[in-house]
Amino acid sequence: MKRNLLALATAAALAVTALPANGNFAAAATEETSQSVSPFTDSTYTHSSAFDNQNIYNGIDVSRYQGDIDWVKAKADGVDYAFIRAGYRGSSLGTLTTDPKFQDNVTGAIAAGVKVGLYFYTEAINTAEAKEEAEYCIELAKDYDITLPIAYDIEYSNKSGRMVRAKLSKTAATNNCKAFCDAIEAAGYTAAVYSSKSFLTSTIDGAALEKSYKIWLANYTSKTTYEGKYEFWQYSSSGKVDGISGRVDCNFWYTDSTLDSLNATSISTAKFSSVKNRTYTGKAIQPVPTLTLNGEKLKKGVDYRLVYSNNKNVGTATIKAKGLGKYKGTKTVTFKILPKKVTSFKKKSGKKQITLSWAKNSKATGYQIYRKATYNSKKYVKVKTIKKNKTTTWLNTKLKSDREYFYAIRSYTKVNGKNYYSDYTYLTAPTLPGGTKTALTKKVKLYQTPDLSGKSLVTVPKKTKVTYLGRTYTSGKKYVYHIKCTVKGKTYKGYISA
């Protein structure tokens, strides 16, 4: 099939330019938008001035409806790339199905030198199903060299399909797009959303989606008036291409990249250095982990850039590395932003009870209090959960008199149904009669910890007046005394044998 060579034209001057054999060209930098003649429709299309000085490649998208395709002929006829349908969800029962021509199309296109992306037709009615569709695509894609995005095809092509019947809100439909795309990118692929001009403005939030993912716009016209950001434009469903019987969808791809750059090394198998959890500060938190690939440390800003999300408030934050230069793809790591520790943790002793108090954490959902009764016990037992952050006291009753207890408290914040916990704050608190004063009947050594191990703090002379703080049990029946004393003008707190 003979095709006209692709040409550029502007409103100021119509100038025809012969192009390289691969069919790509750089849009002319003019004061007006540029135009070109499609090799698949023989019609002229006007490109947005936003794409001046970018490469524009000619592509198609196909499924079983195109039947058997001779990809060698299609490549020779100017097909630079193709989006191939990986599969779809049934509009009635919701069954996930692989496109019958998927394997033939992917292997044939790649063998012919056509760059390949995938798309999946959705009928998901919630984010769990959207993620399931993404995982289905990932499983299909893993054995092939998929160098273009994996796209989420969201449209109401079936007027009685599951999405139509579910009457999804704009937010719900947009969240499905995000769930699919996030799963795709977490697996190291580039994600895109395919939809029509009207769908992107009225049914899903195209303005929000374009900030994180590529947009593949469907708008059958010679000059789109869509004002959002997009990278691919499906401009016709009536193209004719050698090697394909019948009509085929036609697309432009606007990019700074070249086709050769798609052979760049993917960073999807790279390794991030460990990222420790952080504590909430009220400001965006941006750790800078290193990235290594095959034992080589990659250079930030040269080989990849870092993009942060959900990294200000308590919850799970994401760091995404995006390949640059000779590297492509993405790699993602997460870390937790935890609530602040509880502060001003104090006690008030009673004979068989202890009142605990602390400062309010305005960002917390509530608090958890743990306790142990013996020093050598390794396990604290949770004794109280407080579900309101404004509650900052708790009375612990039914305790034994003249005994020290060990407490730990932490705040928690619930985000999307999941609790995030602060580090613990610790406190030792006695029941009465701690606080009495007495004099020692003999010289003793004062130790820093109740197990009386290590170097002593000081030797306390006989008849020294001390404040008895409490009886500290180190095991079931064994205990020591906790005291406060002053020796040679210096005040100490520590433990002596009973």
Side-chain angles (χ1 to χ4, degrees):
M1 182 185 298
K2 188 175 181 181
R3 289 286 170 209
N4 293 335
L5 289 175
L6 203 58
L8 290 177
T10 68
L14 294 175
V16 178
T17 305
L19 297 172
N22 65 9
N24 64 293
F25 66 91
T30 66
E31 294 182 359
E32 304 291 340
T33 54
S34 61
Q35 295 179 321
S36 66
V37 177
S38 166
F40 309 139
T41 65
D42 290 330
S43 297
T44 300
Y45 296 88
T46 300
H47 307 288
S48 167
S49 59
F51 303 122
D52 287 353
N53 295 320
Q54 286 193 319
N55 295 319
I56 305 178
Y57 294 103
N58 294 297
I60 58 175
D61 57 276
V62 299
S63 66
R64 69 180 179 88
Y65 297 109
Q66 277 66 52
D68 295 330
I69 297 176
D70 187 329
W71 284 99
V72 173
K73 287 184 178 180
K75 171 67 174 176
D77 201 32
V79 174
D80 296 317
Y81 68 94
F83 279 104
I84 294 169
R85 187 169 75 165
Y88 58 92
R89 185 184 288 276
S91 60
S92 178
L93 300 178
T95 305
L96 299 181
T97 305
T98 304
D99 187 282
K101 289 294 181 180
F102 167 73
Q103 185 174 10
D104 289 343
N105 282 334
V106 171
T107 55
I110 292 174
V114 174
K115 304 302 180 184
V116 170
L118 305 179
Y119 73 93
F120 189 94
Y121 173 75
T122 181
E123 281 283 0
I125 59 175
N126 54 52
T127 55
E129 288 190 349
K131 184 177 180 181
E132 181 186 31
E133 292 172 346
E135 292 170 346
Y136 192 86
C137 276
I138 293 164
E139 184 64 24
L140 290 173
K142 69 179 183 179
D143 295 326
Y144 304 100
D145 186 20
I146 306 302
T147 53
L148 288 177
I150 298 178
Y152 192 57
D153 177 359
I154 181 166
E155 53 183 311
Y156 289 156
S157 60
N158 188 320
K159 302 304 181 184
S160 61
R162 297 175 81 243
M163 287 196 301
V164 173
R165 298 197 306 270
K167 297 180 180 180
L168 297 180
S169 67
K170 186 173 185 177
T171 297
T174 301
N175 286 340
N176 282 359
C177 296
K178 292 178 179 179
F180 179 93
C181 291
D182 286 346
I184 291 296
E185 299 218 333
Y189 298 96
T190 301
V193 175
Y194 165 91
S195 205
S196 66
K197 173 187 173 183
S198 61
F199 222 84
L200 285 163
T201 53
S202 60
T203 309
I204 58 177
D205 191 347
L209 293 170
E210 71 181 30
K211 295 177 181 179
S212 301
Y213 321 109
K214 297 183 184 298
I215 300 298
W216 177 9
L217 170 68
N219 193 197
Y220 298 159
T221 179
S222 60
K223 180 181 179 181
T224 181
T225 57
Y226 180 65
E227 295 181 352
K229 181 181 177 182
Y230 58 95
E231 187 165 323
F232 299 88
W233 174 23
Q234 185 187 78
Y235 56 86
S236 174
S237 61
S238 303
K240 292 292 293 181
V241 175
D242 271 348
I244 302 177
S245 60
R247 301 184 303 170
V248 66
D249 294 340
C250 309
N251 302 271
F252 291 121
W253 176 26
Y254 306 97
T255 178
D256 291 323
S257 303
T258 63
L259 290 177
D260 289 339
S261 71
L262 296 180
N263 296 322
T265 302
S266 174
I267 65 171
S268 61
T269 58
K271 294 182 178 180
F272 268 115
S273 59
S274 62
V275 182
K276 295 181 180 180
N277 293 335
R278 299 298 201 271
T279 300
Y280 172 81
T281 64
K283 299 180 180 179
I285 299 174
Q286 297 185 339
V288 185
T290 58
L291 196 63
T292 56
L293 181 62
N294 299 324
E296 178 185 355
K297 183 178 177 181
L298 303 185
K299 296 180 180 179
K300 179 176 174 290
V302 176
D303 300 324
Y304 66 94
R305 64 186 178 92
L306 296 178
V307 179
Y308 300 85
S309 58
N310 302 321
N311 62 322
K312 182 178 180 180
N313 297 315
V314 172
T316 299
T318 299
I319 308 173
K320 181 185 292 182
K322 293 190 174 183
L324 297 174
K326 64 180 181 179
Y327 295 96
K328 65 177 181 179
T330 61
K331 181 68 176 182
T332 299
V333 68
T334 61
F335 66 96
K336 293 179 181 178
I337 299 178
L338 305 177
K340 290 182 178 180
K341 289 178 61 174
V342 170
T343 60
S344 299
F345 194 24
K346 300 176 181 179
K347 83 277 187 180
K348 183 178 180 181
S349 300
K351 186 174 182 181
K352 292 186 178 182
Q353 64 186 36
I354 297 170
T355 301
L356 301 176
S357 64
W358 57 91
K360 176 184 173 182
N361 182 343
S362 61
K363 297 296 182 180
T365 301
Y367 313 92
Q368 291 182 339
I369 301 173
Y370 293 76
R371 184 190 70 206
K372 67 178 183 178
T374 58
Y375 175 77
N376 287 330
S377 174
K378 294 181 179 180
K379 185 178 180 181
Y380 281 85
V381 177
K382 185 166 65 174
V383 291
K384 184 66 176 178
T385 296
I386 295 173
K387 297 182 178 181
K388 294 182 179 180
N389 71 346
K390 65 181 180 180
T391 300
T392 58
T393 61
W394 179 60
L395 175 62
N396 191 185
T397 59
K398 299 181 181 180
L399 300 175
K400 293 183 179 180
S401 61
D402 194 20
R403 181 164 186 159
E404 285 192 326
Y405 291 85
F406 302 89
Y407 292 93
I409 187 172
R410 64 180 180 177
S411 61
Y412 72 92
T413 302
K414 182 171 286 188
V415 180
N416 297 325
K418 180 179 180 180
N419 286 339
Y420 292 82
Y421 300 97
S422 73
D423 289 336
Y424 289 100
T425 301
Y426 297 93
L427 176 69
T428 301
T431 53
L432 297 176
T436 60
K437 296 184 182 296
T438 187
L440 295 179
T441 59
K442 62 180 179 179
K443 178 175 68 175
V444 297
K445 287 186 177 181
L446 184 70
Y447 290 87
Q448 187 172 6
T449 58
D451 54 9
L452 308 183
S453 63
K455 185 179 179 181
S456 65
L457 293 173
V458 69
T459 298
V460 185
K462 180 181 178 180
K463 296 184 179 181
T464 300
K465 292 183 179 180
V466 302
T467 301
Y468 170 69
L469 300 178
R471 185 162 49 181
T472 303
Y473 281 77
T474 56
S475 61
K477 294 183 178 181
K478 185 178 180 180
Y479 61 87
V480 296
Y481 294 132
H482 191 184
I483 67 168
K484 178 182 178 181
C485 63
T486 300
V487 178
K488 295 182 179 181
K490 187 175 181 179
T491 299
Y492 298 88
K493 280 186 180 181
Y495 301 87
I496 61 175
S497 59

